[in-house]
Amino acid sequence: MAARLLLAGCVAMVLAVVVPALGAGEQTAAEAFGEGAKLLEAGDFAGALEAYTRAAGLEPENAEYRQQAALVKRVVAARELLDEMTDAQRWERTALGLHYFYHDHKVYGEALALDRKVHERLNSPVSAGLLARTCLVMDRNAEAVEVLRGREDTRTTPENAVLLGLALVREGEAEAAKALLSEMELPETPTAVLLFDSARLRAATGDTDGALKALSQSFEQTPPSRLAAVKAAAGEFPEFAGLVKTDAYAAALETKSVIQESRCSGGAGCGKCPSRTQCSSQQGGEKHPAGCAGEKKP
Amino acid sequence: MRGWVCSVQHGRRVRRLRETWAGLGPIADRATVKITRRLVQLGFLTLTIVGVYIWQGNAERWCPFGGVEGIYTYVTEGNLVCSLGVSNFYILGGVLLMTLLVRRAFCSHICPIGTLSEWLHGLGGRARLPRLRVAPRADRLLSLLKYVVLVVILWVTWSASELHFRVCDPCYALISRHGEDITIWAYIVAGAIVVASLVLILPFCRWLCPLAAVLNPFSRIGVGRIQRGAEACVDCGACAAACPVAIPVDRCREVTAARCLACMNCLTACPARAEGALRFAQRGAKSAWPYGVVVAVVLGCVGLAVAAAYAVPLPSFTQEWGVPPAHSATVELRIRDLTCRGRATLLVYYLERDDEYALAGYRRLEAWPGPGEALARITYDPSVTDEVAIKDAIVEAYFDLVERVWRPSPFEIVGYDPLGLGAPGGP
């Protein structure tokens, strides 16, 4: 009896050691996907693509994995082709796409190099804004000031004026930033990004009420599908550091989006889609409305 | 001896068959007709349940009323609302033909709501629940409601190109396996129909069914009719009492009322039918139609519609760009996630993209959106584009310049594996 118990114990011990060891060699799809994200953040695009493709292969029914692998593949190809592109419009579009991809995936080093190249080539308010934004994210505030301050069009471009203000505050020129803010005129229908940046600037210059008001307005103009991520990210901006624990900030976080967006999941979802009437050309919408048929549409 | 037994058994079988056929004949045998109709009803109900819950099929595509709802958008825009298909038109055509021949036999033989409602009423009778009778005048007024329901549904659906009433449609709640847009109202309506059916005969079918409103004008001019031979009639009133839709059969020479369901309850209830007091026949014809003809017409029309839907599968979504070239090429793709009209419009958006994957020249998209793998046929100008370019345009991520975001394509083409994943997308 004792011998049998001893034998069973030995077998159990062997299994306890061998089974996890066997399993350790196999990577799950989620692990591969996570590895892809890490490699991407480190700027290893080829490695990230390989990891994402592995995740998609391990779990083929997972649309998110497949779509991310396809997206990274597209970006890898775009990176390789960018310097060879001769069509200016196509080059600009590709560069813009890469900039937003880098920012979405926090590959700021790559974004900085690209944005400098783009600004050198285009020298436009848009390219200046892109570069300044990347500089601000990387705390390269002096460079952001340098890029925007000397430009005549900065004052007439509210997006860039706000970015300059933010950089000036960080560089210790709060009064100059306030002056810039007082001169600035927001367009009639400001975008969610502009409202958010102006909230940051107001917070940085001490206008707490104005900051929270602009922040709430920004949340209102953010599509519902992105609102939770934007709210979560807001707390990480240094300009809001002094506000995040206040009740007023918590109240601002309660703001709901006023943007109508499809929740279409295919088929049965049309009944609830707020954009459904615009699907039909007879309703005046010749094209599918933005945001319809899910969040991922061109 | 053994051969003699076999011969006797064979003779009995033949006799039974002859008796059954005779029961389905002009002088209908009550039990045979009742059992046959119940079997037909059970067959269609089982087919619906198996199709929806076991085969996981899209039963919405086989609803004749879907054809009524979808026709306006299809004619004006070339595509269908939501996840309806051209099969809805075929089945509607089959049901209309059936109605022209044998009145509203669809309601008494095929419609699952009609079947359940009728059976529930029978159940209510067995449970000795009260049988409520509605006064003829009130019945006439209530039966006008279905026209109001029809007009409201069509007005809203046609003007918005959207099946707004799905959210409270009890039939859709069942056939969609509780689709995600279903609200509690669908079950409230379903519950109300169930409760009402226990004490009232066919309340939904008589007063509220919008399809009945569509069928009625066709039924009015229907070929097959219940005819009463006044000379042979014994004026017992059994026919009128048996009619589920309260037609005063005993007081008319010919049943012209559009609401006649061709259920044959009146005919089988008639004690003098053998003498010609009641018969189902073509107007002016000498000989009566056997009940078997009604069943054959019902099954034939449905079979014809289904066969046509498979033989001539017209696309439920079409879109065209540019002028057709002298020589064109066509590629047929099986696409995953091309589930509905919204998704087909999204596919159009990818085919209209303006980045490096933009397609040049003439294109024509014909799609059959549906669950699982849906077919899309794309006709293009081979001198300016090719199959791979079309596939890439569909599956490659798109950078949205307006929103400044990347839009990964939700579509997956079966057999096209740009990521080199292997297995599932393979041919």
Side-chain angles (χ1 to χ4, degrees), chain A residues 32 41 56 85 93 120 126 188 197 232 258 273 277:
Chain A
E41 214 168 316
M85 285 178 188
R93 184 189 187 121
E120 196 183 319
V126 172
E188 260 184 47
D197 287 341
V258 296
C273 176
T277 51

Side-chain angles (χ1 to χ4, degrees), chain B residues 3 24 68 112 258 330 349 380:
Chain B
L24 290 172
V68 181
T330 297
Y349 219 68
Y380 60 96

